[in-house]
Amino acid sequence: METWFVIGILIIFLIWRFRPAKGVKTISTSELKTLLHDENKLFIDVRTPGEFKGRNIRQFKNIPLGSDFSKLPKDKEIVVICQSGMRSSQACKQLKKLGFENVTNVRGGMSAWRN
């Protein structure tokens, strides 16, 4: 009985932890391609500098997860990418908590990106 209780709590925690943040838009990498030349958007890549150096999209600025996002401009939509979409989802949650209104997560991240 205790084992099932612990497993249930763990499942609830994982669902809560990885659910999308309220107010965060999600786009595919195909949709991202149509946005890359929009100067009203700020593109940030939250992977490590090493990951970013190995492969990146030119329009994205590398600001690793855990950095201070509070200095980013609040008047632009912020589009966030990482390797798989997990870290960018966490970054989007942080941005929403900081009061950013227009936040977009790229689903699948660089793993789904095809030039």
Side-chain angles (χ1 to χ4, degrees):
M1 181 70 176
E2 291 177 20
T3 305
W4 288 108
F5 180 72
V6 172
I7 291 172
I9 295 295
L10 181 62
I11 290 171
I12 290 169
F13 172 76
L14 290 173
I15 290 170
W16 174 79
R17 179 81 168 116
F18 294 113
R19 77 185 192 299
K22 282 187 178 181
V24 174
K25 191 165 75 172
T26 302
I27 60 170
S28 68
T29 53
S30 300
E31 292 170 294
L32 172 63
K33 289 178 183 181
T34 65
L35 304 176
L36 287 174
H37 299 291
D38 187 339
E39 294 182 11
N40 294 318
K41 295 181 183 356
L42 176 64
F43 300 95
I44 65 170
D45 186 323
V46 296
R47 296 177 300 155
T48 65
E51 288 173 302
F52 184 77
K53 185 178 178 186
R55 180 173 180 234
N56 65 70
I57 302 170
R58 184 178 48 83
Q59 290 86 345
F60 280 80
K61 179 179 179 183
N62 186 222
I63 305 175
L65 185 63
S67 299
D68 181 11
F69 295 136
S70 66
K71 294 180 173 68
L72 296 174
K74 290 192 176 185
D75 62 332
K76 290 189 174 194
E77 179 179 353
I78 299 179
V79 180
V80 188
I81 197 169
C82 68
Q83 188 61 37
S84 67
M86 298 304 287
R87 285 178 281 181
S88 58
S89 179
Q90 291 176 353
C92 288
K93 287 179 185 179
Q94 290 176 11
L95 289 163
K96 290 300 284 184
K97 284 182 183 177
L98 289 170
F100 289 84
E101 293 294 323
N102 295 318
V103 181
T104 301
N105 185 30
V106 180
R107 182 178 52 249
M110 290 300 291
S111 294
W113 176 255
R114 307 284 180 256
N115 299 26

